Amino acid sequence: MRASNELTLAPIVKILETTTPVTPDDCELLRSMLAGDEEALATLYRRRQGSVYRFALQMSGSPSLAEDVTQEVFMALLRDGTTYDSARGPLNWFLLGIARNLVRQRLGREHFYTALVDDQVDCAGASESRTASDPLDELTRSETIETVRKAVLSLPPRYREVVVLCELQELSYAEAARVMDCAIGTVRSRLHRGRSLLIEKMQPAREEKAASGVKTARCFA
Amino acid sequence: MNCESFQIIAGDLARDEIIEATERARALAHIDECRRCGQQWNDQRELSEKLRMVAGQMSLLQAPAHLEGQLRAAFRDRAKVRPIHSAPRRWLYWTGAVAAALLIAFAVIGWRARVASRPQLEVRSNIGSPSESPPPGPSSVQATAKDGARNPLTPIQKNLPRPRRARSQPARLGAAADTTNQTEAVNAPAANTETKEVTTDFVALGYGNTLDLQDGGQLVRVELPRSALARFGLPVNMNRVDERVKADVLFGTDGLARAIRFVK
């Protein structure tokens, strides 16, 4: 009886094994990577490089700095990966924590605050995915995004990192607190202050736009 | 809700964070009442929308493809370098282990040699030697010899000298001996001639009063009430509580009792 069950279940098990590929989690990949598995490194890198790169870019506004930081983060993982404790949170937080420290060091050293010139090149791929129904709308949208990015980059680093983590990386307060290694209350208060500063910074742009809109109307009249 | 309370939660409200339903309702009601807070609410919502727009636009950004290649190359280099570094480390490890083992071995040998060179505890019988008669013991202690029925006040001494101070011992002991009854000491047989005695370990008398007998000492046989056993945590046979029990009291050169052991 038992033998017949095994016989009937065997093909199903085989199908399940082939149809549901086992995706190793970050910890397993890290372990394999530290044991010398290059493919594990590649998988882990492909999985996590996006958030690290975006964070560094949003914090610095410099693609070259973001590249450096991304590379350094993974090099640090290669070097000090054993210090990661899975009980303290997912690997992504750990990587973002390293990236945060590196960005702060680099910003303090090199003063990258408004390097925005070549950022639009990187964003082009993202905008292509969207269907541009109206070129004017698309232009307005790009202008708005640029204004917001400039405003974010002009924030003091302590507020900027909270805005980037909570608003642009869409982490919760608790997650951001773990990345920043501070209390949730600190995250909340800094985000509140950061948002207020952003509104203040974007106020002149809005008034200017309104003023330019009036001029245009006069012209048409 | 007042403006101040509203400002505290305005950001969370605009970010669609979880807020209590009643508080949310009160905040929205306040927006209708207060024009200034209404404006702030609009600003916050507008900011949230714009930030979402930026986040959405940047969500597809990836690090350049060449970074992966660089990282892989660095990984391979590191893997190549590792054995080169690990070889001397392993050599150092084994060298350190051997050195530590040798050190421990030398330390043990040295310690054993030192212990072996130390003189054994000498127990001398002072019987018949007037110059080495014991100093007077505590007045409450009644000294007695093995056959104490005959000479109940005869002390039995054991001198415990260190080699470098051996010369000074007799003089000091001799001085103390002047106060004792020499004839009684002569008549007393040696305690260590007794072969069938069973003794307890020495029990220190008083804190910090350890068996530090570098300057020598004296062992005095005494008889005590059996109830004295209880003071040192030893069991007392209540049927024989009236009987006396023999004990050896160890005196230092200062005349103070240092330790005691009971003899059966």
Side-chain angles (χ1 to χ4, degrees):
Chain A
M1 184 66 182
R2 195 173 175 184
S4 65
N5 275 344
E6 281 173 6
L7 280 173
T8 50
L9 288 173
I12 299 165
V13 170
K14 193 173 271 183
I15 289 163
L16 282 171
E17 279 174 356
T18 51
T19 51
T20 53
V22 181
T23 50
D25 66 353
D26 288 351
C27 290
E28 287 173 29
L29 286 173
L30 179 63
R31 237 173 277 133
S32 306
M33 184 192 85
L34 293 173
D37 185 356
E38 191 180 325
E39 282 312 306
L41 166 71
T43 311
L44 195 60
Y45 173 79
R46 284 181 208 132
R47 194 181 286 179
R48 296 295 168 205
Q49 52 86 20
S51 63
V52 174
Y53 178 75
R54 282 194 296 277
F55 173 77
L57 183 63
Q58 287 157 353
M59 279 296 289
S60 67
S62 163
S64 58
L65 186 142
E67 280 178 32
D68 287 352
V69 166
T70 307
Q71 191 171 5
E72 281 177 40
V73 165
F74 283 92
M75 289 302 291
L77 191 66
L78 276 175
R79 203 171 46 242
D80 306 318
T82 47
T83 58
Y84 167 66
D85 179 10
S86 58
R88 296 189 65 188
L91 185 69
N92 195 34
W93 300 359
F94 182 68
L95 295 176
L96 284 174
I98 299 172
R100 172 182 174 256
N101 292 334
L102 290 171
V103 168
R104 283 170 74 104
Q105 282 172 14
R106 293 288 291 269
L107 289 179
R109 210 164 52 212
E110 300 172 19
H111 302 287
F112 278 105
Y113 285 109
T114 52
L116 294 162
V117 185
D118 50 356
D119 285 353
Q120 287 172 341
V121 180
D122 292 317
C123 300
S127 8
E128 276 172 16
S129 62
R130 236 168 256 115
T131 51
S133 56
D134 186 357
L136 190 64
D137 277 357
E138 192 59 34
L139 188 66
T140 313
R141 185 186 166 83
S142 299
E143 275 181 8
T144 307
I145 288 169
E146 206 51 41
T147 310
V148 175
R149 290 183 65 195
K150 276 183 184 173
V152 170
L153 284 167
S154 66
L155 288 173
R158 63 162 68 175
Y159 302 122
R160 195 189 320 162
E161 64 188 9
V162 183
V163 169
V164 167
L165 287 171
C166 293
E167 302 287 359
L168 303 182
Q169 295 276 329
E170 295 175 343
L171 297 187
S172 67
Y173 291 143
E175 289 167 349
R178 295 304 288 269
V179 171
M180 292 167 59
D181 199 19
C182 66
I184 293 175
T186 310
V187 174
R188 284 177 71 105
S189 62
R190 283 187 187 174
L191 184 62
H192 182 76
R193 178 71 185 138
R195 284 178 67 97
S196 303
L197 285 172
L198 277 179
I199 290 170
E200 280 174 27
K201 283 173 189 295
M202 287 162 64
Q203 206 83 9
R206 192 171 58 185
E207 283 165 7
E208 200 176 294
K209 199 184 278 182
S212 65
V214 172
K215 272 182 191 172
T216 314
R218 271 184 195 170
C219 181
F220 278 113
Chain B
M1 178 175 279
N2 57 19
C3 296
E4 197 179 342
S5 307
F6 175 78
Q7 279 173 11
I8 291 168
I9 64 161
D12 288 345
L13 205 61
R15 294 183 75 237
D16 296 329
E17 290 283 331
I18 298 166
I19 300 172
E20 274 184 39
T22 51
E23 200 170 7
R24 187 185 175 84
R26 283 195 299 167
L28 292 174
H30 179 74
I31 292 165
D32 294 335
E33 292 165 8
C34 178
R35 191 166 162 271
R36 192 164 150 268
C37 288
Q39 180 61 45
Q40 194 184 356
W41 165 242
N42 287 336
D43 289 344
Q44 289 281 358
R45 290 195 64 175
E46 199 180 331
L47 177 67
S48 290
E49 270 177 35
K50 285 175 179 173
L51 286 168
R52 275 190 212 113
M53 208 187 287
V54 174
Q57 196 210 22
M58 296 185 84
S59 62
L60 296 174
L61 281 177
Q62 302 283 316
H66 66 85
L67 270 187
E68 187 181 334
Q70 287 176 6
L71 201 64
R72 276 173 176 262
F75 183 80
R76 278 186 222 117
D77 288 348
R78 191 171 163 271
K80 278 177 198 165
V81 166
R82 193 183 291 162
I84 299 165
H85 280 299
S86 61
R89 275 182 194 161
R90 197 176 300 138
W91 178 81
L92 273 175
Y93 171 79
W94 285 112
T95 310
V98 169
L102 283 173
L103 255 173
I104 291 166
F106 280 128
V108 169
I109 290 165
W111 177 75
R112 293 194 69 172
R114 198 175 162 192
V115 167
S117 66
R118 200 177 285 172
Q120 295 296 319
L121 195 68
E122 289 178 15
V123 180
R124 293 182 192 167
S125 173
N126 300 313
I127 308 302
S129 171
S131 63
E132 294 186 358
S133 302
S139 58
S140 61
V141 177
Q142 187 185 3
T144 179
K146 185 191 108 188
D147 51 353
R150 206 166 35 135
N151 294 308
L153 291 173
T154 304
I156 300 152
Q157 300 173 3
K158 288 179 184 173
N159 197 5
L160 310 169
R162 292 195 71 186
R164 59 182 175 184
R165 305 217 176 190
R167 283 184 190 171
S168 63
Q169 288 299 324
R172 274 206 292 271
L173 290 169
D178 294 339
T179 57
T180 58
N181 188 345
Q182 292 181 4
T183 53
E184 285 175 354
V186 169
N187 294 333
N192 56 359
T193 56
E194 202 168 18
T195 53
K196 292 180 182 177
E197 280 189 347
V198 180
T199 62
T200 63
D201 290 333
F202 275 105
V203 180
L205 298 170
Y207 296 107
N209 196 7
T210 54
L211 296 172
D212 183 16
L213 298 167
Q214 292 184 358
D215 296 330
Q218 291 173 337
L219 196 63
V220 180
R221 172 65 54 87
V222 296
E223 265 190 2
L224 296 170
R226 193 166 284 273
S227 60
L229 286 167
R231 291 189 180 183
F232 300 99
L234 298 170
V236 181
N237 185 352
M238 295 308 289
N239 296 328
R240 299 170 63 192
V241 73
D242 297 333
E243 295 176 17
R244 302 183 77 79
V245 64
K246 289 175 189 172
D248 291 337
V249 180
L250 197 56
F251 289 93
T253 52
D254 52 2
L256 292 175
R258 296 292 173 87
I260 187 169
R261 73 176 178 191
F262 291 93
V263 182
K264 189 178 178 183

